[in-house]
Amino acid sequence: MTAGGIACLLWGRRLAAALLPLLLTACHAAPTIEARPAMWLVADDDTQIYLLGTMHALPAGTDWDGGKVADAINKADELMLELSPRELAKAGAIFQTLAPRAAPLAMNARLPAKALAGYRAIEDGEPLGGDGLDDWAVLVLMGQRVAERADLSPADGVEAGLTAAFRGAGKPIRGLESAKAQLMLFETLDPAAQRALLVRAAENSDHAKEEIRAMAAAWSRGDVGALTTIVNEDIDEVPAARKAIITDRNRRWSLWVEQRLGQPGTVLMAVGAGHLVGKDGVPAMLAAEGYEVVRVQ
């Protein structure tokens, strides 16, 4: 298994875009796509923090770094990602350590008939090894397989492009979380919530490729309303997962923004797009605390 990036906060039908930037392999080239994703700005007298919603994996040829995003990249003194490059490099090994079950459990003992059929369709003759893995880990591998088939590649994702740009400019790149902490969000998720997410993902697998492409398209045109619907539709049905994977993390990241405003400088904070939309997205949380949050793209 290689480090790279799961398509983050979608796929459950839609969870993969919320998961984490791990574990995808490169995909085939695609025609050039112009993308102008949503971005916000929070500022005071001597600090500017740009909030850019990302897709961890995208179709090859996606042109996302023009417009106001180009200005933010040029102005920023540092880049803040979910995982720093150093932490991202650890993620595959940590996944392999955490993912195995204490004792194997056959997938046909976990999934009802419709979900089992969906799971087998995703395998399509190439077994995922789910019997030996925790439910959350099976969901991760399913998301990986679907993203690959949708021709999404982490090499063309926003984090990869930003990392190259900031490294090239000699600017620091930091992370909001460690790889282990991010994976432990899933490892420690209530077993019933894990199973509910897995069943929903498998039952709706026949639409997964189209839906992950729809999310990428909504992100590309900066359609916050569509993103909110896509991201929230299924995870709202599993409140424990929503709290752990989205709401609690957004609260921690909002606090980071508030604290960072106490230091001068310009920061580009780039996290999965699903974390920046909706009533418990980072911009909404900051606005609720009295900060002026301006959408700049």
Side-chain angles (χ1 to χ4, degrees), residues 254-278:
S254 298
L255 180 60
W256 181 89
V257 172
E258 293 183 49
Q259 293 172 339
R260 184 59 183 79
L261 285 168
Q263 305 173 44
T266 301
V267 182
L268 175 54
M269 176 177 162
V271 299
H275 292 284
L276 302 186
V277 300

Side-chain angles (χ1 to χ4, degrees), residues 23-45:
L23 312 173
L24 274 179
T25 56
C27 303
H28 300 296
T32 300
I33 301 167
E34 182 174 304
R36 291 297 177 262
M39 185 171 67
W40 294 260
L41 176 64
V42 186
D44 60 19
D45 291 341

